[in-house]
Amino acid sequence: MTARYVVRRADDAEFSSTDGIAPGATGFGRWRAVGVEDGSSHTDFGITRLQPGGTIPSHLHSFEESFHVLRGEVVLTTPEATVRLVGGDYGVIPIGVPHSWHGTEAEAVWTDVLSPPPRPAHDWDTYHAPALPSREPMPVDPRDPRTRSFGNITAEHMNPGRQSQELLAVSASMRTALLVYSGISLKMMVDSELGAVLHTMFMVQYEPDGVAGPHDHPLEEAYLITEGEVDATFDGTQYRLQAGDFAWAGAGCVHSFRATGAPVRWVETQSPQMPARHAYRFARDWDYLQEALDEERHD
């Protein structure tokens, strides 16, 4: 039976230098937290490391790729721009777009999501491409039309009390701000506005009383805890996820989250993109309906 969820600990992460999605790379390693071999149909989520001076030569994919830099610095070259990425920067690389990665003086570590998952039987759906022209790297600036596939997120973006027009004006996606509800804050990073078609990536923060009750989706979700800890339940099994831990919920997996008394933050992805309606199926709503129907039958 195909797994409906995956939970993996950061201590168990194994970084491979032979991952087929980075042909000819030097100083490279990637931990595939979930992928096609786990039964995923839409999500390959990983953490990539590139050592100082390392490189991933120009290539392209038949899948969509997005990323969020956790720490360090790396240069990414695409036909759109050559950008110097630092912690908090994110972006999307559409299907068929050639690109290359170049290490700087500091090790770079970033999360990435690939949708649909690359297939080992098809050479990881990756193709060598001619080298792109060399250009002076520029910083990510969401206001600059030359770098509209990239953005930056900071702790201030996740703080409802720190929102300001000045802060929001330089947010590349969902410029109108933070979505806040039931002790939960959500800030979109990669979405259709940024150019993504097959998936989204966003930052989630739970306050000490934050709770999301049992629910499921007609899509796959992945979660990388970046700060704090949270009690999570997947198909009835509870886990306490801490910074560095990873989880994936397949379509139909019933899952829930509850903060442990302190703020917790994580990177979350959805693949494919959420439908406009019926994206959430909360158990409480259908339990309520069942009670109402039972009462009607007994009246």
Side-chain angles (χ1 to χ4, degrees):
M1 179 178 178
T2 301
R4 297 219 306 181
Y5 71 89
V6 167
V7 175
R8 292 191 165 128
R9 304 295 186 184
D11 292 344
D12 299 328
E14 295 184 1
F15 286 79
S16 171
S17 61
T18 59
D19 194 314
I21 67 169
T26 60
F28 161 87
R30 184 174 188 264
W31 173 42
R32 176 174 281 108
V34 69
V36 67
E37 294 179 346
D38 297 292
S40 173
S41 298
H42 301 282
T43 308
D44 184 310
F45 189 103
I47 298 179
T48 293
R49 293 174 176 170
L50 191 62
Q51 299 295 328
T55 184
I56 304 175
S58 185
H59 62 288
L60 58 89
H61 307 294
S62 63
F63 52 81
E64 189 174 78
E65 177 179 3
S66 67
F67 60 86
H68 169 59
V69 180
L70 297 173
R71 60 183 181 272
E73 180 181 278
V74 66
V75 171
L76 171 64
T77 297
T78 73
E80 176 181 349
T82 296
V83 289
R84 186 176 299 275
L85 303 168
V86 298
D89 288 342
Y90 59 83
V92 61
I93 303 169
I95 290 174
V97 171
H99 56 286
S100 59
W101 299 86
H102 308 273
T104 61
E105 296 180 355
E107 180 187 62
V109 180
W110 65 88
T111 65
D112 48 29
V113 60
L114 319 175
S115 184
R119 302 164 295 177
H122 295 265
D123 294 327
W124 301 99
D125 295 293
T126 296
Y127 306 84
H128 291 276
L132 295 164
S134 178
R135 292 172 291 190
E136 185 68 22
M138 64 176 67
V140 168
D141 184 348
R143 298 163 298 186
D144 190 331
R146 296 172 296 177
T147 58
R148 282 302 170 99
S149 296
F150 310 97
N152 176 270
I153 191 167
T154 66
E156 285 76 14
H157 284 107
M158 301 304 299
N159 186 340
R162 296 290 299 276
Q163 304 305 296
S164 67
Q165 185 59 35
E166 181 180 2
L167 176 67
L168 300 177
V170 296
S171 177
S173 191
M174 282 185 69
R175 294 179 177 83
T176 55
L178 197 62
L179 176 62
V180 181
Y181 60 99
S182 303
I184 304 169
S185 302
L186 184 152
K187 180 67 179 70
M188 187 62 66
M189 294 190 289
V190 174
D191 61 2
S192 58
E193 184 177 333
L194 211 68
V197 175
L198 300 176
H199 74 283
T200 61
M201 176 186 283
F202 47 95
M203 188 71 71
V204 174
Q205 179 171 293
Y206 276 44
E207 300 306 322
D209 60 347
V211 176
H215 63 284
D216 70 302
H217 308 283
L219 47 84
E220 299 174 355
E221 289 190 331
Y223 324 86
L224 176 69
I225 312 302
T226 58
E227 184 177 327
E229 59 183 25
V230 63
D231 286 334
T233 301
F234 299 96
D235 280 345
T237 302
Q238 183 170 314
Y239 301 84
R240 176 156 292 186
L241 302 177
Q242 301 175 328
D245 288 343
F246 168 84
W248 169 80
C253 172
V254 177
H255 54 286
S256 63
F257 299 97
R258 180 179 294 273
T260 61
V264 58
R265 187 177 302 157
W266 66 76
V267 176
E268 183 168 333
T269 72
Q270 294 179 331
S271 306
Q273 290 189 12
M274 180 180 289
R277 298 188 67 189
H278 308 303
Y280 291 82
R281 180 166 53 184
F282 278 99
R284 66 188 180 199
D285 298 336
W286 296 96
D287 290 343
Y288 174 84
L289 173 63
Q290 184 63 63
E291 292 174 3
L293 292 172
D294 289 344
E295 290 180 5
E296 291 175 9
R297 280 197 295 269
H298 289 92
D299 286 344

